[in-house]
Amino acid sequence: ILRIVNSTSPPSIVQGFHNSNDGLIHLNSVKYVHNSKHVGYLESQENRNKARLLAVRMAVAIAMADGELDDQEGITINKWIKKRLEYSSASQKDERKEEFNNTLQQAYADAEQGSLSIESMCQELNEIAEEPEKAETLELLYSVMAADSIADDSELKLLKTISDNLDLDISAMNDIRDRSLLKVKKGPKSGTDLKELLEIDPSWSKEEIKKQI
């Protein structure tokens, strides 16, 4: 794809798509067919869409871990969905929106019945998702946990299970966890200190703690 754009006011281009012709001077494309043994663009996009639907189901599982869906948790999930819809082309947006809505409703119903299996969802995510999608999912899950500013025991336990089952770099997982826990104002009811969750030694100086987080 060749685009000639206004350099002072270029169009927004996300994942190869532009949502507006504003700032676009000329557009041309050449069709090219290549057979690859690896996952191609279309399959990769399909897997990314599936991974994001899985992320929504897992987010509902986290939100419902304490038995109820808090308003802030629901808002966090909906904001995440709306942000992902911004990346969809105009022709796909309505279809993607319906998929997200159906997934959200079904996940809520499954959570109420206790039929959301975190282990199986992690396994499916490992099979279809690349590291960026896994990290994106984990960031959503921790955002949902921290949405009400409370680190609930049941949510933390579920997040630990997810971290143990998700094939993602440990340093990336720890970074996502630490940044999210810093937003929490109230620790677990079990009395677990947030410093312990962040793997911070109580004897450390402020400088050493800053290095850890």
Side-chain angles (χ1 to χ4, degrees):
I1 296 176
L2 169 67
R3 291 184 179 91
I4 300 176
V5 302
N6 184 337
S7 61
T8 60
S9 181
S12 174
I13 301 173
V14 179
Q15 295 181 352
F17 296 99
H18 59 274
N19 294 326
S20 171
N21 289 330
D22 294 340
L24 185 66
I25 298 172
H26 178 73
L27 173 68
N28 199 3
S29 63
V30 176
K31 187 175 181 179
Y32 174 74
V33 178
H34 171 70
N35 294 320
S36 173
K37 295 180 180 179
H38 303 288
V39 175
Y41 173 78
L42 292 178
E43 188 177 354
S44 177
Q45 182 64 48
E46 183 180 349
N47 285 342
R48 186 181 299 113
N49 291 340
K50 289 179 180 178
R52 287 175 172 168
L53 295 179
L54 270 173
V56 170
R57 287 182 61 79
M58 295 170 78
V60 171
I62 294 294
M64 294 286 287
D66 58 358
E68 60 182 4
L69 180 64
D70 180 83
D71 287 344
Q72 289 303 315
E73 293 170 336
I75 290 171
T76 298
I77 296 172
N78 279 315
K79 281 184 177 179
W80 187 89
I81 290 174
K82 288 180 181 178
K83 189 68 177 177
R84 269 68 208 165
L85 286 173
E86 290 178 5
Y87 301 148
S88 300
S89 63
S91 61
Q92 295 176 329
K93 187 166 290 187
D94 288 342
E95 180 183 352
R96 297 289 297 134
K97 184 177 181 180
E98 185 177 1
E99 287 177 344
F100 273 124
N101 288 337
N102 290 341
T103 298
L104 188 59
Q105 292 173 12
Q106 187 59 54
Y108 182 79
D110 290 343
E112 284 194 313
Q113 296 174 5
S115 58
L116 281 178
S117 171
I118 282 295
E119 288 81 2
S120 63
M121 286 189 285
C122 284
Q123 181 180 350
E124 186 175 353
L125 193 63
N126 285 331
E127 291 173 356
I128 65 172
E130 300 294 333
E131 287 223 346
E133 286 79 42
K134 295 174 189 176
E136 177 185 59
T137 297
L138 199 59
E139 286 179 348
L140 169 63
L141 303 185
Y142 270 103
S143 294
V144 171
M145 179 277 296
D148 56 2
S149 300
I150 300 173
D152 185 84
D153 282 320
S154 54
E155 293 174 345
L156 291 173
K157 183 178 180 181
L158 210 51
L159 283 165
K160 179 66 167 59
T161 299
I162 292 168
S163 297
D164 289 343
N165 284 275
L166 208 57
D167 293 337
L168 185 62
D169 179 70
I170 187 66
S171 61
M173 289 194 290
N174 288 343
D175 179 59
I176 293 168
R177 178 202 63 190
D178 295 351
R179 285 187 284 109
S180 299
L181 287 174
L182 289 174
K183 301 174 185 177
V184 172
K185 296 179 181 179
K186 186 176 179 181
K189 294 178 182 178
S190 63
T192 303
D193 190 86
L194 287 180
K195 288 184 178 180
E196 182 180 340
L197 293 173
L198 291 168
E199 298 179 1
I200 294 173
D201 190 316
S203 65
W204 286 354
S205 66
K206 289 183 178 180
E207 288 72 23
E208 289 173 318
I209 292 175
K210 286 180 181 179
K211 288 181 181 179
Q212 173 72 3
I213 62 178

